[in-house]
Amino acid sequence: MLRVVGSERAWTFLSNHGHVLVLVAREPGILLSELSQRVGITERAARSILRDLEGAGYLSRSRVGRRNRYEVHADGPLRHPEESTALVSDLLQIFPR
C-alpha cells in the first residue's frame, strides 16, 4: 500500500505478502483485525493474502478454540526468479521475533 506523505509517496521494500508473512512468523496467533491494521490493509486483503500464502505452501492454518494459529514453512524458496536461490528462512532472519 502506497501512502502519500506530503508531496512524496511513501513506499516499503516488502510487498504486503511479505509483511503478512513476517508478522505471522513473529506472532502465529495474531488476529486478522490486528494483522490487517499493522500491515495497513483491509481485513479482506489480509484474508486473501493468507489464502495465497497457504495455497502456495508457505504457511498452514489450524484452529485453536475459536482462533486461527499459523505455522510458517520457511524452507521454501522466495518466489521471484531473481531471489529464488534464497529461502523464506533467509528473509525471516532479517526480522527478529
Side-chain angles (χ1 to χ4, degrees):
M1 169 180 254
L2 287 178
R3 294 181 186 92
V4 177
V5 179
S7 62
E8 294 183 33
R9 291 176 16 171
W11 55 273
T12 64
F13 281 102
L14 296 180
S15 68
N16 288 338
H17 282 67
H19 292 299
V20 167
L21 188 67
V22 167
L23 281 172
V24 167
R26 284 184 187 161
E27 301 174 40
I30 192 168
L31 293 172
L32 184 66
S33 58
E34 185 176 351
L35 177 66
S36 63
Q37 178 196 17
R38 289 174 58 187
V39 175
I41 58 178
T42 65
E43 286 186 29
R44 184 176 182 177
R47 190 176 300 111
S48 177
I49 289 170
L50 288 168
R51 276 195 303 265
D52 288 347
L53 293 170
E54 187 174 12
Y58 289 104
L59 63 85
S60 56
R61 176 176 40 110
S62 59
R63 294 291 285 181
V64 177
R66 295 175 49 190
R67 297 179 69 166
N68 287 325
R69 183 158 186 85
Y70 302 96
E71 179 183 352
V72 172
H73 306 291
D75 56 345
L78 298 179
R79 290 177 56 98
H80 194 280
E82 293 297 321
E83 292 99 29
S84 64
T85 59
L87 300 177
V88 171
S89 59
D90 298 326
L91 175 68
L92 295 177
Q93 285 181 354
I94 298 169
F95 306 99
R97 292 182 179 202

